[in-house]
Amino acid sequence: MQRAQRPGEASLVEEVTLLNPTRFRICTPVVFLLALTLLAGCKKTESSADTAATVNGRKILRSEVDKYFANQTSGAPQPPKGEQATSLRLSILRDLIDQEIMMQRAEKLGLLATDAEVDSKLTEFKAPYTQEEFDKRLKERNLTLDDLKRDLRRNLTIQKVLNKDISSKITISDADVSGYYEEHKAEFNLIEPRVHLAQIVVTTAPNPQVRNQKNSKAQNEAEARKKIQEIMNRLESGEDFATLAMNWSEDPQTASNGGDLGFVPESALKQGEEPATRDAVMRLKPGETSGIIPVVNPRTRELWGFRIIRVLAKEPAGQRDLNDPRVQEIIRGQLRERREQLLKAAYYEVVRNEARIENLLAKEVLGSAENK
């Protein structure tokens, strides 16, 4: 079952995308580690010929641009060539310039990330992996631990600057919320009942994408049966459903957020779920949990795994009122996201204008075109 997106919900992330600071996405640890490969920088040299750009006198090296270019194009069936390759290099350099501007601004504001903050973030990223798995992923991406810590420091620093100069200054008034609701009232009119669900999943075969906090994966059917029963016993003993999901669930899409599937329309339940799951959901009241539900592959009819479902809420069809706290939460989130994106785009333009930037690579490209 895929997680349903709430009305007006954004696919926004908490982390700033490092090699494109004007984009902000919500990433899983694996996606973020992949983004970090773009920041495995090279040691600076004193050779001016290796300078791609300068920001207030500080160099950005061509070798850095080339390394990021190689990372971005690795594995591509047809790597970019000619003008396409040059365009990509210019884009990479623009992102590196933006990062350097932000790091210099952080120095002035005293907002550089501390060693403690970097170590804390590193521990967070390492949590879903064994040490062996973590080391393997670093090696696959030609990263050292120092590379990763440097890039975490850069990301944390940029986010601190943006939080101070942008996010902390955004306010959403009641009038803003009311105005948005009146303009988008139809978005909050449910045409059919829906159910807010959470799940804990255990599979009969190990899934390499599983990233629960205990790094727990059943290896076969016997282990899966034992594991799901142990989880059921814990639930019956009063342990928290969301915590158990984060620790033990093997669904890569929902384990990290406590198994939350969001709101699912009844029609989706009837069309997309097997009878055992559908019947269990329809019988449950909000706050109730199902028993252990076997999950069968619809094509092969083989046992795929087990699921425990909890119904968090049920909503009837009809118009949702502005006084509904969930409606207000959605609207405030949507308005904050829009305002944040607009202000961040403007902010980057302003800080670029204030910086002394010399883009030597761009000058070289322009010069070569004029000489043809």
Side-chain angles (χ1 to χ4, degrees):
M1 183 186 292
Q2 300 294 321
R3 182 185 183 281
Q5 186 169 335
R6 299 175 178 83
E9 184 180 51
S11 58
L12 188 65
V13 222
E14 302 170 345
E15 300 287 358
V16 58
T17 303
L18 292 180
L19 270 185
N20 195 334
T22 57
R23 299 177 186 169
F24 303 84
R25 301 184 182 280
I26 257 128
C27 346
T28 63
V30 174
V31 175
F32 186 75
L33 195 56
L34 289 172
L36 292 177
T37 64
L38 306 181
L39 292 170
C42 305
K43 293 182 179 179
K44 293 189 178 182
T45 69
E46 297 300 323
S47 171
S48 59
D50 192 33
T51 303
T54 61
V55 178
N56 298 321
R58 292 190 188 175
K59 296 178 182 179
I60 297 173
L61 305 179
R62 292 173 187 264
S63 54
E64 293 179 278
V65 176
D66 290 342
K67 188 171 182 68
Y68 304 149
F69 178 89
N71 283 327
Q72 287 201 32
T73 58
S74 63
Q78 293 184 341
K81 297 179 181 179
E83 292 182 352
Q84 187 180 11
T86 301
S87 178
L88 178 55
R89 282 190 168 88
L90 288 171
S91 177
I92 291 171
L93 181 55
R94 171 65 176 261
D95 292 335
L96 291 172
I97 289 171
D98 286 345
Q99 289 174 31
E100 181 59 36
I101 291 171
M102 294 297 284
M103 294 301 290
Q104 291 183 26
R105 182 162 181 80
E107 289 179 22
K108 293 179 181 179
L109 296 173
L111 292 176
L112 291 172
T114 65
D115 290 343
E117 290 169 331
V118 173
D119 290 341
S120 176
K121 182 60 72 172
L122 178 63
T123 299
E124 179 184 329
F125 283 131
K126 291 177 67 175
Y129 308 96
T130 65
Q131 187 62 47
E132 182 180 359
E133 288 175 327
F134 187 76
D135 292 342
K136 181 181 178 181
R137 289 182 177 275
L138 287 179
K139 186 176 181 180
E140 287 173 349
R141 292 160 181 82
N142 297 316
L143 284 171
T144 66
L145 185 60
D146 286 341
D147 289 333
L148 178 56
K149 291 177 72 172
R150 183 197 62 237
D151 298 334
L152 289 175
R153 188 183 305 277
R154 182 178 296 179
N155 184 68
L156 289 167
T157 297
I158 292 174
Q159 193 59 56
K160 288 171 76 171
V161 173
L162 293 173
N163 286 341
K164 181 183 185 300
D165 286 349
I166 300 296
S167 302
S168 65
K169 299 177 181 179
I170 296 176
T171 58
I172 307 298
S173 69
D174 291 342
D176 293 332
V177 174
S178 178
Y180 182 95
Y181 178 81
E182 292 302 323
E183 292 178 6
H184 302 84
K185 203 169 184 178
E187 294 179 11
F188 302 97
N189 185 15
L190 302 184
I191 61 175
E192 63 173 306
R194 62 182 187 175
V195 186
H196 190 183
L197 300 176
Q199 67 174 0
I200 296 173
V201 174
V202 175
T203 60
T204 56
N207 181 350
Q209 294 181 324
V210 171
R211 288 291 176 264
N212 53 51
Q213 292 187 359
K214 299 295 185 181
N215 198 35
S216 172
K217 310 172 191 176
Q219 301 298 310
N220 50 51
E221 182 179 334
E223 287 190 15
R225 288 183 181 277
K226 180 180 179 181
K227 179 179 175 179
I228 197 70
Q229 187 59 59
E230 289 175 350
I231 294 172
M232 192 75 243
N233 294 343
R234 290 186 175 204
L235 285 169
E236 291 174 346
S237 298
E239 292 195 34
D240 179 64
F241 188 97
T243 300
L244 288 170
M246 287 188 287
N247 285 339
W248 306 105
S249 180
E250 297 178 18
D251 177 31
Q253 295 184 341
T254 62
S256 62
N257 65 351
D260 192 350
L261 285 159
F263 280 93
V264 181
E266 281 192 1
S267 61
L269 282 173
K270 294 176 181 177
Q271 295 172 9
E273 286 298 329
E274 56 185 14
T277 298
R278 182 178 65 242
D279 294 344
V281 169
M282 300 309 293
R283 286 195 306 268
L284 295 172
K285 296 177 181 179
E288 292 184 342
T289 303
S290 73
I292 297 171
I293 304 171
V295 182
V296 176
N297 186 315
R299 293 188 296 273
T300 65
R301 306 310 302 167
E302 294 179 351
L303 182 67
W304 175 84
F306 302 94
R307 170 192 278 169
I308 299 173
I309 297 287
R310 168 161 287 191
V311 173
L312 302 177
K314 289 188 175 183
E315 291 192 343
Q319 183 69 46
R320 294 297 173 268
D321 192 81
L322 176 60
N323 294 326
D324 187 327
R326 288 165 298 181
V327 171
Q328 294 206 19
E329 181 183 0
I330 290 171
I331 293 175
R332 287 185 185 278
Q334 185 76 5
L335 289 175
R336 171 169 285 276
E337 176 191 343
R338 290 182 178 182
R339 197 162 297 173
E340 203 169 57
Q341 293 296 325
L342 174 63
L343 293 178
K344 285 175 180 176
Y347 180 81
Y348 271 100
E349 292 302 322
V350 170
V351 294
R352 286 189 201 108
N353 289 340
E354 293 176 349
R356 289 181 292 104
I357 301 169
E358 185 176 15
N359 192 323
L360 301 174
L361 179 60
K363 288 182 178 179
E364 181 182 296
V365 171
L366 185 61
S368 64
E370 291 174 348
N371 293 331
K372 286 184 178 180

